[in-house]
Amino acid sequence: MALRVGVIGGGQLARMMIAPAVELGLELRVLAEAEGMSASLAATAVGDYRDLDVVRAFAQDVDVITFDHEHVPQDVLRALVADGVAVHPGPDALQFAQDKLVMRAKLAELGVPQPEWAAVRTPAELQDFLDAHHGAGVVKTPRGGYDGKGVRVVRAAAEADDWLGALVDDDALLVEELVPFVRELAQQVARRPSGEIVAYPVVETVQRDGVCAEVIAPAPAASDRLVQVAEGIGRSIAEGLQVTGMLAVELFETDDDRILVNELAMRPHNSGHWSQDGAVTGQFEQHLRAVADLPLGSTAPRAAWSVMVNILGGPVEGTIGQRFGAAMAEHPSAKIHTYGKEPRPGRKVGHVNVSGDDLDDAVYVARAAAVHFD
């Protein structure tokens, strides 16, 4: 009988695991939050991932549990582990992707380079941090933020009064130094339960309005030192946190040549979509290999350059499906991936991958193909 992999979450990441699961001979089952989600093709259950009874019932019919997102509560995850369910990544690792304050403390313990930071609970504590860091900082809600949500640049404590006022009990906000970065990078690694680790090339990511817009693989003009440091950071975190599956480490490259950890994701990640078509083993296949504890695949690039451009929002008029013909006809080298989502301003509804020997040409083609879906 085929190994049954259960994915909690019915979004586009689960959707993009379907094809490699078929190719690997795995049976993919998805617990979706609602009917008609991106991964509906593999949705065998619909329900609330915060409800232990719902998740337990789903877990009874699979051999291993993994995730489309990091939002499943710790008590649910730990109950599954207590039941003897294989969960990858496990709750001990996933907690560091769920809570940014917990993550910062652990990375400090591991000696991983990161921005200066503090937990703050009062306006006075926040203002003290700002005064000690050139009058500016980045305030983050520790849990739940993504794609720019829950993140705010402040230059006075009063600019975070609403967030501070909403804190309860021992809750705190995370404040970090405003890093003088020249670009953002991402390092992906995969680790299987038996300990094998592989690393992908470090990539450059371009953000617009807090959302990833483009990725270039490998990162242009990356020195040997940068490549070694980024990979070393990724491997250290995967081992130090005992991550199983894909790990994405978002990084800052600063104007004084430091490489600092921004955030973590323990699942396939937008920064790795290029690998679907640009690497020997794409991140979705690699994640399935890792959580199933199968030998990991080669991460070698298939071409000198790969470029990923997100399709954000979708067409104002008509449907996404109506735009495929023209995009394919004009850009036959582009690989177009869509998520089965309804268009909405700023929403990730797909992406385009282009690989080749000339970076400028790959960037042009990927952008031009993506424009067809505006």
Side-chain angles (χ1 to χ4, degrees):
M1 186 173 69
L3 185 74
R4 300 164 299 175
V5 178
V7 182
I8 297 179
Q12 66 260 27
L13 301 182
R15 176 190 181 96
M16 288 184 276
M17 294 183 205
I18 296 173
V22 172
E23 293 165 355
L24 291 171
L26 303 175
E27 183 178 336
L28 197 75
R29 300 186 178 190
V30 171
L31 172 60
E33 295 89 331
E35 299 284 353
M37 293 189 68
S38 290
S40 59
L41 285 171
T44 57
V46 175
D48 188 347
Y49 59 80
R50 297 164 297 186
D51 186 319
L52 177 56
D53 291 336
V54 169
V55 176
R56 265 188 169 140
F58 176 69
Q60 286 179 354
D61 293 325
V62 300
D63 299 302
V64 59
I65 289 284
T66 190
F67 308 95
D68 169 86
H69 56 71
E70 292 104 341
H71 306 313
V72 182
Q74 279 285 312
D75 59 343
V76 173
L77 296 174
R78 294 188 183 279
L80 291 182
V81 172
D83 291 344
V85 177
V87 179
H88 296 300
D92 287 342
L94 205 57
Q95 64 180 324
F96 301 111
Q98 293 178 326
D99 190 310
K100 296 179 180 65
L101 279 170
V102 175
M103 174 196 75
R104 287 291 179 217
K106 184 63 175 180
L107 294 185
E109 180 184 315
L110 294 176
V112 173
Q114 58 181 335
E116 294 186 17
W117 64 279
V120 295
R121 296 174 177 83
T122 67
E125 289 177 345
L126 176 55
Q127 192 61 53
D128 286 346
F129 184 92
L130 299 179
D131 292 344
H133 293 85
H134 311 289
V138 181
V139 178
K140 299 180 178 181
T141 54
R143 302 179 68 87
Y146 65 98
D147 285 347
K149 299 177 179 66
V151 178
R152 186 181 295 176
V153 176
V154 303
R155 290 177 171 80
E159 296 174 16
D161 275 351
D162 54 339
W163 286 0
L164 287 165
L167 295 176
V168 296
D169 300 327
D170 293 327
D171 286 352
L173 297 177
L174 170 65
V175 61
E176 300 172 354
E177 65 172 306
L178 186 59
V179 174
F181 65 88
V182 294
R183 62 175 172 173
E184 294 186 68
L185 306 168
Q187 175 66 60
Q188 282 192 303
V189 299
R191 180 178 179 274
R192 56 191 283 211
S194 59
E196 181 189 5
I197 296 179
V198 295
Y200 284 84
V202 62
V203 303
E204 179 176 335
T205 66
V206 179
Q207 317 292 318
R208 297 197 184 103
D209 299 323
V211 178
C212 180
E214 299 181 0
V215 174
I216 300 174
S223 66
D224 289 343
R225 172 189 168 276
L226 186 153
V227 171
Q228 292 170 3
V229 169
E231 181 173 334
I233 288 172
R235 288 178 177 271
S236 294
I237 293 173
E239 291 176 340
L241 305 187
Q242 295 290 286
V243 178
T244 46
M246 289 296 305
L247 166 70
V249 184
E250 298 180 44
L251 302 163
F252 294 126
E253 181 181 4
T254 71
D255 56 9
D256 57 357
D257 292 327
R258 291 179 296 159
I259 306 297
L260 305 176
V261 174
N262 180 16
E263 295 190 356
L264 306 178
M266 296 180 191
R267 51 173 168 74
H269 189 256
N270 204 165
S271 64
H273 288 353
W274 69 273
S275 67
Q276 283 178 291
D277 306 297
V280 173
T281 309
Q283 67 165 343
F284 298 99
E285 176 184 341
Q286 197 78 278
H287 185 72
L288 291 170
R289 286 181 179 228
V291 302
D293 206 15
L294 297 170
L296 301 180
S298 169
T299 58
R302 292 185 178 276
W305 300 102
S306 289
V307 176
M308 191 263 349
V309 173
N310 270 331
I311 300 171
L312 298 173
V316 176
E317 297 181 356
T319 68
I320 291 173
Q322 291 169 342
R323 307 300 179 95
F324 269 91
M328 290 174 166
E330 292 188 29
H331 307 289
S333 64
K335 303 291 287 185
I336 301 166
H337 303 265
T338 56
Y339 306 156
K341 291 182 171 182
E342 290 298 317
R344 188 175 70 205
R347 191 182 204 188
K348 293 177 184 176
V349 295
H351 66 271
V352 175
N353 287 334
V354 176
S355 300
D357 293 329
D358 184 278
L359 176 56
D360 290 340
D361 181 64
V363 169
Y364 169 78
V365 173
R367 289 176 178 172
V371 163
H372 282 275
F373 296 89
D374 287 348

